[in-house]
Every structure is written in C-alpha cells, then in structure tokens.
Amino acid sequence: AQSVTQLGSHVSVSEGALVLLRCNYSSSVPPYLFWYVQYPNQGLQLLLKYTTGATLVKGINGFEAEFKKSETSFHLTKPSAHMSDAAEYFCAVSEDTGRRALTFGSGTRLQVQP
Amino acid sequence: NAGVMQNPRHLVRRRGQEARLRCSPMKGHSHVYWYRQLPEEGLKFMVYLQKENIIDESGMPKERFSAEFPKEGPSILRIQQVVRGDSAAYFCASSPEQEAFFGQGTRLTVV
C-alpha cells in the first residue's frame, strides 16, 4: 500500500523567502511522485512530476523537487516566494502496477506575507 | 484541446435526492478517475474507469454510489439518496498514461 505524509498543514513565508514544503511517501514499488497546486475553488494543476531518471525535477512557476530514495522524500522548493504562490499544495504518489490512481497527502496551505 | 470538463460546477440537493456528476475527459484520454475532497482534506480516490469498464472501484462507498464511462458520452458519477455527509468537492481526472489532468470539480452541497 502507498501513502503520503505532508508535514505542516500550514506554512507561512515572507515574499522573496525560500519555500520548502515537505513530502514523505511509502511505496512497495518504485514510485511515481507528483506535486499539484490548487487555488481556491479550482481544480488541481500539475506543478511537476518524477517518474524515472534525474532525481531533481524542475516544474512550472520556478518550483522544483528532489526525489531522495534513501529518505523516501520528495520535498518541494522555490528559492523566492511570490504573492501569487499562495495556494494549497498536494503531494501525490502512484505506482505503475496497472491501478495508477493517485494517493494524495492531506495538503499544505502556503501563505505568503508581503 | 479543451481540458477536462466537469458539470455542473455547483450542485445543491436535498437529502434523499439523487446527484449526477458529469465528466468529459480530454480528447484522446481513455482513462478516467473520480476523487472526492472533503473540506480541509486531500483528495481521496474513488474509482478508475476506462471506456465501458470499471477497472478499480476500491475507493467507492459500497452503497448509493455508482460510476460509469459509456462508449459514447461523458463519465457519470451517481449518488443516490444523498446525505449531508456526501457534501464535498468531486474531481474527475483523465490521463493518457501516468500524468493526470484534473477538471475544476463539482461542489455538491446537500441541504
């Protein structure tokens, strides 16, 4: 069975500061990992994904994440926060076993202070 | 190429009524997933369908909920005899492979 843990349901940073959103996963097979962003009353938009290959993944809006197998982590970072980054962020995992459904973490709400 | 289309965006039902939620996947996508998001929570998988087939319904409640993805037309998530606890946002996603594209969701309110 797969699971995702996002540490910190709320994170607040100042505009221009580093953003770090934590995600740890468990999976019985090599995972596919995703970060999605959700703005109020909207659907989910894919920020980035890791399937195979390079462990440092770059996504949209200046975000990136690094897959660390030894730590079972896939933390999301952005060097400099912008006000428009304020949203809910979800980490998700899936396995290429035919089921392919995503298992989501409970989400982290990012606030950006001016 | 239009994205995943869900309708209605908002749906209000009285307890005991039926709710029908529709999802049209992106063109060329044959895999459809339904997820439910309760307030202040992440998304929970409900069901995975391909055309005319339910592949995985392990996340569906055993009673009152059903889903279909017919050969023609949108995928339908049907909730019979709704109760207050069914109030949530229901998201549909479609995918060609591993990456899922989400619709904007249907927000169901049961009064």
Side-chain angles (χ1 to χ4, degrees), chain A residues 7-47:
Chain A
L7 289 176
S9 58
H10 290 81
V11 170
S12 182
V13 300
S14 298
E15 190 174 18
L18 170 72
V19 176
L20 170 61
L21 305 182
R22 299 178 186 275
C23 172
N24 289 87
Y25 70 91
S26 68
S27 176
S28 56
V29 299
Y32 293 170
L33 294 159
F34 305 82
W35 275 99
Y36 284 87
V37 61
Q38 184 181 32
Y39 297 99
N41 297 317
Q42 298 294 315
L44 277 71
Q45 180 183 7
L46 181 68
L47 278 177

Side-chain angles (χ1 to χ4, degrees), chain B residues 64-105:
Chain B
R64 303 187 298 107
F65 285 72
S66 63
E68 63 177 7
F69 189 16
K71 186 176 180 181
E72 301 290 337
S75 175
I76 306 287
L77 179 67
R78 182 182 178 203
I79 311 172
Q80 296 178 291
Q81 300 176 320
V82 296
V83 300
R84 289 236 170 94
D86 297 333
S87 294
Y90 292 83
F91 290 95
C92 170
S94 72
S95 74
E97 293 294 334
Q98 204 63 29
E99 180 176 337
F101 296 83
F102 283 81
Q104 293 196 308

Side-chain angles (χ1 to χ4, degrees), chain A residues 32 42 49 94 99-100, chain B residues 31 35 56 98-100 104:
Chain A
Y32 293 170
Q42 298 294 315
K49 63 180 179 181
S94 72
R99 180 176 183 266
R100 304 205 286 185
Chain B
H31 306 273
Y35 294 83
D56 181 353
Q98 204 63 29
E99 180 176 337
Q104 293 196 308

Side-chain angles (χ1 to χ4, degrees), chain A residues 3-114:
Chain A
S3 66
V4 176
T5 301
Q6 291 184 240
L7 289 176
S9 58
H10 290 81
V11 170
S12 182
V13 300
S14 298
E15 190 174 18
L18 170 72
V19 176
L20 170 61
L21 305 182
R22 299 178 186 275
C23 172
N24 289 87
Y25 70 91
S26 68
S27 176
S28 56
V29 299
Y32 293 170
L33 294 159
F34 305 82
W35 275 99
Y36 284 87
V37 61
Q38 184 181 32
Y39 297 99
N41 297 317
Q42 298 294 315
L44 277 71
Q45 180 183 7
L46 181 68
L47 278 177
L48 48 79
K49 63 180 179 181
Y50 169 79
T51 53
T52 59
T55 56
L56 181 62
V57 180
K58 293 187 185 298
I60 62 172
N61 301 340
F63 284 93
E64 62 182 37
E66 186 171 10
F67 169 58
K68 292 187 176 181
K69 184 178 178 180
S70 62
E71 299 178 7
T72 62
S73 69
F74 191 57
H75 301 330
L76 182 71
T77 60
K78 182 174 180 177
S80 177
H82 192 272
M83 297 296 289
S84 61
D85 295 327
E88 186 98 24
Y89 292 80
F90 292 97
C91 181
V93 63
S94 72
E95 300 173 350
D96 188 22
T97 58
R99 180 176 183 266
R100 304 205 286 185
L102 293 163
T103 297
F104 284 88
S106 55
T108 297
R109 187 173 300 278
L110 175 66
Q111 291 182 314
V112 182
Q113 307 293 340

Side-chain angles (χ1 to χ4, degrees), chain B residues 41-73:
Chain B
E41 294 187 14
L43 279 73
K44 297 289 194 291
F45 167 75
M46 299 181 76
V47 61
Y48 164 32
L49 309 106
Q50 293 181 18
K51 285 284 187 181
E52 299 184 280
N53 283 305
I54 297 175
I55 307 301
D56 181 353
E57 55 182 347
S58 58
M60 287 277 271
K62 294 289 185 270
E63 297 178 347
R64 303 187 298 107
F65 285 72
S66 63
E68 63 177 7
F69 189 16
K71 186 176 180 181
E72 301 290 337

